[in-house]
Amino acid sequence: MPFWSWKGSKTKPTHTSKPVDRTVPVSKETECREKYKYAKNRYSRLSADERCSYQEAVKNWAGKYTEETALGILILQRLHRLQLLRPRSSKKLHRHPRGEDGEILTKVRDSMPPPIYVEPIQEDSCLEAEMTQLRKDYWKHQLRLQELYRGRPHPTGPTMALFLAGHEYRNEHGQPYDFVDSQRECANAGGCCARSCGCCQKGLYANEDKKDQTSPVYGHCTLECVCCIRFRECYVPDGRLSPPKTKPLLR
Ligand SMILES: [Zn+2]
Ligand SMILES: [Zn+2]
Ligand SMILES: [Zn+2]
């Protein structure tokens, strides 16, 4: 199951554990936490030699997967940075009813004189084009990630099981355990987890106007984190993305 489609899916996660006879119903969160703990314990019982051989088998795959996931977060954080620069009214203007030829339809009451003309929508076309391109990039990233997931090594040893459990199983806030466990890393690197802003906990969306229709993606700070850019008062574009057309506000 693609990790990013958790909320919308009607199916259960693709684990194959045997059904457990329980008298008390267990919440999905508890089940996830138990499965993640189980994968962690199983991994910790491996000998050093076993770890090495397992690691060799999954190293390349997990490396590629981690790289691709990080790229997705980078794209989403740049998108978030750009979405904050949009004029506040632009959302509403988009939803304004239009005629077939694209002309804005304005309801005119009998008591009101008809308007002479309708103001054209003022949008930063450069900003919108950059955001559209990033959404295309994010879409392609999701397809690559799914392709990688499909090609994961089999059979699943403890190293692989822990890796997958960390991405697939989520806590009561819907955050993957891999994200939860890497908060310290984010804080040590001077990211938002080191401060009280709570940015990483909010999750990211490819389209913030439609956030009610999808689940958030959780990731830690990259060079595109708008809060970190403001905190450090400088911006260093990440070479993995195309050069930014819209520079961030540093304060
Ligand atoms: Zn922050
Ligand atoms: Zn940050
Ligand atoms: Zn963080």
Side-chain angles (χ1 to χ4, degrees):
M1 174 188 179
F3 311 130
W4 33 265
S5 67
W6 177 273
K7 186 181 178 184
S9 174
K10 298 267 187 293
T11 55
K12 287 188 170 183
T14 54
H15 56 74
T16 54
S17 60
K18 289 175 194 163
V20 181
D21 182 26
R22 294 180 194 275
T23 47
V24 182
V26 173
S27 72
K28 191 165 189 159
E29 289 77 24
T30 309
E31 195 183 328
C32 282
R33 191 171 57 242
E34 282 175 7
K35 284 180 186 302
Y36 181 65
K37 267 191 196 166
Y38 172 76
K40 236 179 168 176
N41 286 336
R42 196 175 160 214
Y43 178 78
S44 68
R45 285 198 298 271
L46 283 178
S47 70
D49 282 355
E50 279 175 319
R51 260 182 219 194
C52 274
S53 60
Y54 274 128
Q55 230 157 8
E56 207 47 53
V58 296
K59 201 170 70 179
N60 283 345
W61 183 87
K64 278 184 201 160
Y65 196 92
T66 304
E67 237 172 67
E68 191 62 56
T69 308
L71 179 65
I73 299 300
L74 187 66
I75 295 171
L76 288 181
Q77 287 189 346
R78 182 177 282 185
L79 257 171
H80 176 64
R81 172 170 83 67
L82 297 181
Q83 285 174 123
L84 291 176
L85 294 173
R86 291 168 98 187
R88 277 210 162 268
S89 58
S90 102
K91 258 198 277 183
K92 283 176 190 161
L93 289 172
H94 269 304
R95 288 173 185 167
H96 204 102
R98 285 166 183 259
E100 279 172 19
D101 58 355
E103 193 188 339
I104 297 173
L105 300 174
T106 307
K107 206 173 178 182
V108 181
R109 283 187 215 138
D110 291 344
S111 56
M112 284 167 62
I116 300 164
Y117 65 92
V118 177
E119 287 249 6
I121 294 173
Q122 293 296 324
E123 272 177 1
D124 186 338
S125 58
C126 190
L127 181 70
E128 293 297 323
E130 195 173 1
M131 284 170 58
T132 303
Q133 184 55 51
L134 283 165
R135 289 198 184 108
K136 287 180 189 173
D137 293 344
Y138 187 69
W139 191 355
K140 287 192 263 181
H141 145 80
Q142 285 181 301
L143 295 176
R144 284 197 304 272
L145 199 64
Q146 180 60 10
E147 197 56 41
L148 269 170
Y149 180 71
R150 247 186 244 126
R152 67 196 179 280
H154 291 285
T156 305
T159 308
M160 191 62 186
L162 176 61
F163 184 85
L164 293 176
H167 286 80
E168 192 164 354
Y169 298 136
R170 292 161 187 257
N171 67 7
E172 66 274 26
H173 306 296
Q175 299 162 335
Y177 283 102
D178 178 72
F179 165 82
V180 177
D181 279 358
S182 51
Q183 287 179 81
R184 188 179 288 271
E185 268 175 51
C186 174
N188 288 345
C192 288
C193 286
R195 300 189 294 274
S196 58
C197 52
C199 294
C200 300
Q201 305 297 322
K202 289 172 194 160
L204 296 157
Y205 299 87
N207 191 334
E208 291 180 4
D209 292 351
K210 296 179 180 173
K211 58 164 73 173
D212 54 328
Q213 295 170 37
T214 186
S215 48
V217 178
Y218 290 97
H220 292 286
C221 301
T222 69
L223 288 173
E224 286 293 336
C225 171
V226 68
C227 182
C228 287
I229 292 168
R230 284 180 190 158
F231 179 75
R232 294 172 194 265
E233 297 184 13
C234 59
Y235 175 54
V236 186
D238 193 302
R240 286 174 290 174
L241 296 184
S242 43
K245 293 186 179 72
T246 315
K247 297 277 168 63
L249 302 169
L250 299 182
R251 284 161 205 271

